[in-house]
Amino acid sequence: MSTDPSSPVLRIEGLVKRYGPHLVIDGVDLDVAAGQVVVFVGPSGTGKSTLLRCVNGLEDIQGGRILFEGQPVLSRSSAIHAVRRRIGMIFQGFNLYPHLTALQNVTLAPVKVLGEPAKDVEERARGLFRKVRLEHRAHAFPSQLSGGEQQRVAIARALAMNPHLLMFDEPTSALDPETVGDVLAVMEDLAREGRTMLVVTHEIGFARHVGDRMIFMDGGKIVEDRPPEEMIASPENPRTRQFLGSILHH
Amino acid sequence: MSPQVAAYWYVFLKGVGITLWISWLALILGGVVGLVIGLLRIAPWAIVRWAAIVYIEVFRSVPPLVLFFGCFYGLSFAMKLDLSPFSAATIALTLTASALMAEVVRAGIESVTRGQWEAALSQGMTYPQVFRYVIWPQAIRVMLPPSVGVYISTLKDSSLASIIGYVELTKSGLLVRESTGISFEVLLIIAILYFIINYSISLVGTALERRFKYVH
Ligand SMILES: Nc1ncnc2c1ncn2[C@@H]1O[C@H](COP(=O)(O)OP(=O)(O)O)[C@@H](O)[C@H]1O
Ligand SMILES: [Mg+2]
């Protein structure tokens, strides 16, 4: 299963995704190396979420292929579960399990899916709660937590599986402004640890300080893929310029 | 209460016991069958879904009385089964209860948002694991109140079993009425007993519901 360290963690070749007749991903090629933080920006409805969902096989694809750590991602194969175990996903709406405490949210999958001993997982979960700065909230239910706290529990839940890739789909878009910073700070820590991350966000400050690459998507295509500083300072494509202008000046 | 009627207290008591027993049995059997039908109702295969819909719609709309006759005389005749009133009544009650429970199960499962499936699947859970650890524990909270309603309606339907000669609470009362010749008082007692039973079930249901609520 282990692959050549120089080969990408994720390789996407000529990806095509349609919903019925509606073309949503229109031939995307992308290599992501280990440790890279790739930030996706673009107008809504351009296929950013869909792209992430294809990567862990939540959507089937109509063309091209996706390789995760050298293995093809096939949404309908039984191997998909093993792929998903190694990819953590954080959603805009948190999607915590409301019937479980924060701690149980984090320990559920490692115990039930990976079959690890509950004691070990709980130990690791405590460490993760420290990492996301929520040690005091481990026994709260999701409904008792603020949005920012819920999202940090969701991050801890993803980390508990020891994933090799983390995907964030607008993780701060549903948050009150005052809790956005806490979530971004945790994500920045993860990036500094050298984790491989795909992040869809409108937080240009995060992209600039934390991202290694910034990808502008429009109409299901990658329009521009450059270091964030450069793209923000001097976008090449007129659409990129227009989009960045619209989110920087309001 | 007149002494003639009071002398039959044990008949009423036994009637209450039998009514509770047969409706409970029908609820359990109906719950199990209803769970299966409810799952088939949301299966990914259209033909299976259709079969489940037909089952639900048929047994939800046929009046219980017709089912009692159908099971007691019809099944006996068609399948050469010699069903006792008890068996026929249990089957009839189960058919209705399972159709109602199937809808309760479907509504419960569909009340859990798509995001829950996605979060669990993205953690590498298989469909059965998602169902067992994430969907079901949430669905069951939604299912509880309407299940109590199904139990109460099953319990009331069970009074129709008196027609095929099964001696539950209603039939017990009618027997007491025959032997004593006292009508109004006996019927009143039956009504009060049904009320006490159903109201108690409601109260238990409300208490369970409160216990099952998430912390807020
Ligand atoms: N389940 C679906 N069925 C049909 N169309 C969908 C579905 N999910 C997304 N789409 C469409 O795909 C396009 C891309 O959506 P999405 O990936 O969510 O965009 P973004 O995340 O960039 O805003 C949109 O036009 C959206 O309406
Ligand atoms: Mg999106």
Side-chain angles (χ1 to χ4, degrees):
Chain A
M1 197 113 84
S2 75
T3 44
D4 171 9
S6 66
S7 76
V9 173
L10 179 66
R11 163 162 283 175
I12 299 176
E13 295 171 348
L15 179 63
V16 173
K17 168 71 194 172
R18 286 193 202 89
Y19 287 111
H22 185 38
L23 184 63
V24 175
I25 305 279
D26 183 9
V28 161
D29 296 294
L30 179 69
D31 274 1
V32 178
Q36 274 190 342
V37 176
V38 183
V39 176
F40 293 82
V41 296
S44 79
T46 53
K48 304 180 298 294
S49 300
T50 305
L51 180 63
L52 297 194
R53 295 161 55 80
C54 289
V55 168
N56 69 359
L58 285 178
E59 302 286 350
D60 54 3
I61 64 178
Q62 278 67 52
R65 61 177 194 156
I66 300 169
L67 296 174
F68 175 67
E69 299 188 316
Q71 282 183 304
V73 177
L74 302 168
S75 65
R76 286 160 194 275
S77 83
S78 57
I80 192 65
H81 305 295
V83 170
R84 289 178 183 151
R85 279 164 211 168
R86 288 178 283 138
I87 301 178
M89 185 144 182
I90 287 92
F91 303 86
Q92 178 175 354
F94 329 132
N95 298 350
L96 291 181
Y97 310 132
H99 58 299
L100 302 177
T101 64
L103 183 63
Q104 290 167 334
N105 263 272
V106 173
T107 58
L108 179 70
V111 173
K112 302 299 185 190
V113 176
L114 302 179
E116 294 184 58
K119 267 264 167 293
D120 302 358
V121 177
E122 222 161 279
E123 193 67 32
R124 185 160 85 237
R126 302 239 170 245
L128 291 171
F129 274 95
R130 272 194 299 282
K131 188 193 283 270
V132 300
R133 296 156 205 168
L134 280 175
E135 26 321 24
H136 54 297
R137 303 297 272 147
H139 294 287
F141 281 88
S143 58
Q144 299 169 311
L145 299 172
S146 74
E149 290 172 329
Q150 288 189 59
Q151 195 59 296
R152 284 180 283 151
V153 173
I155 293 173
R157 177 174 70 176
L159 293 174
M161 298 291 281
N162 291 321
H164 298 183
L165 172 67
L166 286 170
M167 302 198 293
F168 298 79
D169 190 2
E170 301 204 30
T172 58
S173 297
L175 298 181
D176 294 331
E178 67 269 22
T179 65
V180 168
D182 297 337
V183 173
L184 292 178
V186 168
M187 290 169 61
E188 186 166 346
D189 291 347
L190 296 173
R192 305 253 176 266
E193 282 175 12
R195 293 192 181 259
T196 315
M197 295 163 57
L198 308 184
V199 184
V200 177
T201 187
H202 296 304
E203 296 288 338
I204 295 302
F206 176 85
R208 192 201 313 260
H209 294 120
V210 183
D212 297 306
R213 289 161 71 182
M214 188 159 170
I215 289 180
F216 175 71
M217 279 185 73
D218 196 14
K221 287 187 159 82
I222 292 181
V223 175
E224 211 167 326
D225 175 358
R226 295 164 64 204
E229 280 301 352
E230 282 180 29
M231 192 189 289
I232 294 163
S234 55
E236 275 167 3
N237 192 288
R239 278 180 296 171
T240 316
R241 192 174 316 132
Q242 189 190 1
F243 176 77
L244 289 178
S246 74
I247 58 173
L248 285 173
H249 310 296
H250 77 250
Chain B
M1 201 188 297
S2 52
Q4 300 102 296
V5 174
Y8 285 97
W9 63 270
Y10 61 93
V11 176
F12 287 108
L13 195 64
K14 190 152 176 244
V16 167
I18 288 174
T19 284
L20 281 174
W21 162 237
I22 195 169
S23 52
W24 177 247
L25 190 62
L27 182 78
I28 297 300
L29 294 174
V32 173
V33 178
L35 175 60
V36 174
I37 305 283
L39 291 177
L40 297 180
R41 171 71 183 75
I42 51 177
W45 313 282
I47 186 130
V48 173
R49 278 201 304 274
W50 276 103
I53 290 173
V54 168
Y55 180 98
I56 292 167
E57 292 306 327
V58 166
F59 291 117
R60 221 166 42 157
S61 35
V62 175
L65 186 58
V66 175
L67 286 178
F68 278 103
F69 280 134
C71 291
F72 191 53
Y73 300 109
L75 277 182
S76 306
F77 181 76
M79 306 201 160
K80 306 271 177 284
L81 292 172
D82 192 16
L83 290 180
S84 65
F86 170 75
S87 308
T90 306
I91 294 172
L93 288 173
T94 299
L95 289 175
T96 306
S98 62
L100 297 174
M101 284 307 291
E103 282 298 275
V104 171
V105 168
R106 180 192 62 76
I109 291 171
E110 286 183 346
S111 75
V112 182
T113 59
R114 212 180 103 168
Q116 293 291 306
W117 282 97
E118 293 183 346
L121 285 173
S122 77
Q123 289 202 284
M125 289 191 208
T126 60
Y127 274 92
Q129 286 174 328
V130 178
F131 190 77
R132 175 163 169 209
Y133 300 119
V134 177
I135 306 303
W136 183 250
Q138 296 182 57
I140 193 130
R141 291 164 161 86
V142 175
M143 286 164 48
L144 202 62
S147 301
V148 173
V150 172
Y151 185 33
I152 289 176
S153 108
T154 302
L155 200 139
K156 289 197 288 187
D157 287 351
S158 74
S159 70
L160 293 166
S162 57
I163 304 241
I164 55 172
Y166 185 60
V167 188
E168 37 62 71
L169 177 53
T170 302
K171 184 72 180 174
S172 308
L174 296 178
L175 291 176
V176 173
R177 188 181 68 161
E178 264 173 48
S179 0
T180 59
I182 301 171
S183 260
F184 180 73
E185 191 181 330
V186 168
L187 291 173
L188 189 65
I189 291 173
I190 297 176
I192 290 172
L193 287 173
Y194 273 111
F195 173 78
I196 292 174
I197 295 171
N198 283 335
Y199 190 63
S200 317
I201 294 169
S202 283
L203 288 182
V204 171
T206 312
L208 281 177
E209 220 178 298
R210 207 172 298 133
R211 260 200 60 184
F212 262 102
K213 276 249 173 68
Y214 308 129
V215 188
H216 280 294

